[in-house]
Amino acid sequence: MFSFGIVCIYAVLKHVILYVDEEALPEDELALAHVLERQISYFADWESLHGLLRHLGDSPWCQVLEILRGSFNKENPREPFARWNIEPLDADLKDLIGGLTNFDPPKRLTADEALSHNWFHDV
C-alpha cells in the first residue's frame, strides 16, 4: 500500500517525488540513500520509523535506516508530507496518503480501508 500512496501523489501532482538524478550526484553517493532519506523525511515520524525497525528485526536495513534518521538537522530538516501545502492536496487526500505511507506496516491502511476512505467517497 505504501507504493500506492506514492502513485496517488504522482497521479495528483504529476511529479515523481522520490526521483533522484543519479548523474547529478557525487560519485561516492548512491541514489538509493537519497530515495530512502526522502521517504523518511516525507512519511516517517519517529514512532512509525521505530515500528518499521521492530518489524524488520535484525535486518541489515535497520542500521541503514538508523543512519539516515540521524541525518536530519537544522541544515537538513525533515519535510513531512502532512505539512505540504500544495494544491490540489486537500485534507482527505493527505489523510489517505498518510495512512497508505505509514512506515509502521501494521498501522498502514489496507486496500479495503483505503477504498473505504472519504477521498474515494464520490468515485
Side-chain angles (χ1 to χ4, degrees):
M1 295 311 302
F2 190 95
S3 297
F4 182 64
I6 303 302
V7 170
C8 288
I9 293 171
Y10 174 77
V12 172
L13 297 181
K14 307 293 189 256
H15 178 70
V16 181
I17 63 168
L18 300 178
Y19 173 75
V20 174
D21 181 1
E22 292 185 58
E23 292 182 17
L25 293 177
E27 279 188 37
D28 63 337
E29 291 187 21
L30 297 174
L32 177 59
H34 288 271
V35 170
L36 290 172
E37 184 180 54
R38 287 180 187 179
Q39 288 178 330
I40 292 169
S41 175
Y42 301 159
F43 304 112
D45 58 24
W46 301 139
E47 181 183 334
S48 67
L49 182 56
H50 194 15
L52 176 62
L53 294 173
R54 278 192 312 273
H55 179 78
L56 293 174
D58 62 354
S59 166
W61 284 104
C62 291
Q63 185 177 7
V64 172
L65 294 171
E66 288 283 1
I67 291 168
L68 291 172
R69 176 174 68 171
S71 70
F72 298 104
N73 54 41
K74 263 187 172 176
E75 290 78 36
N76 183 32
R78 287 183 58 248
E79 299 175 40
F81 176 77
R83 294 187 196 157
W84 293 11
N85 292 316
I86 301 171
E87 290 292 328
L89 295 176
D90 61 30
D92 279 340
L93 179 58
K94 287 170 73 172
D95 183 65
L96 171 65
I97 292 171
L100 292 168
T101 58
N102 191 314
F103 254 56
D104 191 352
K107 293 183 179 177
R108 197 171 297 148
L109 290 179
T110 65
D112 285 337
E113 290 168 334
L115 292 173
S116 298
H117 192 275
N118 283 344
W119 193 74
F120 288 110
H121 179 73
D122 292 330
V123 176

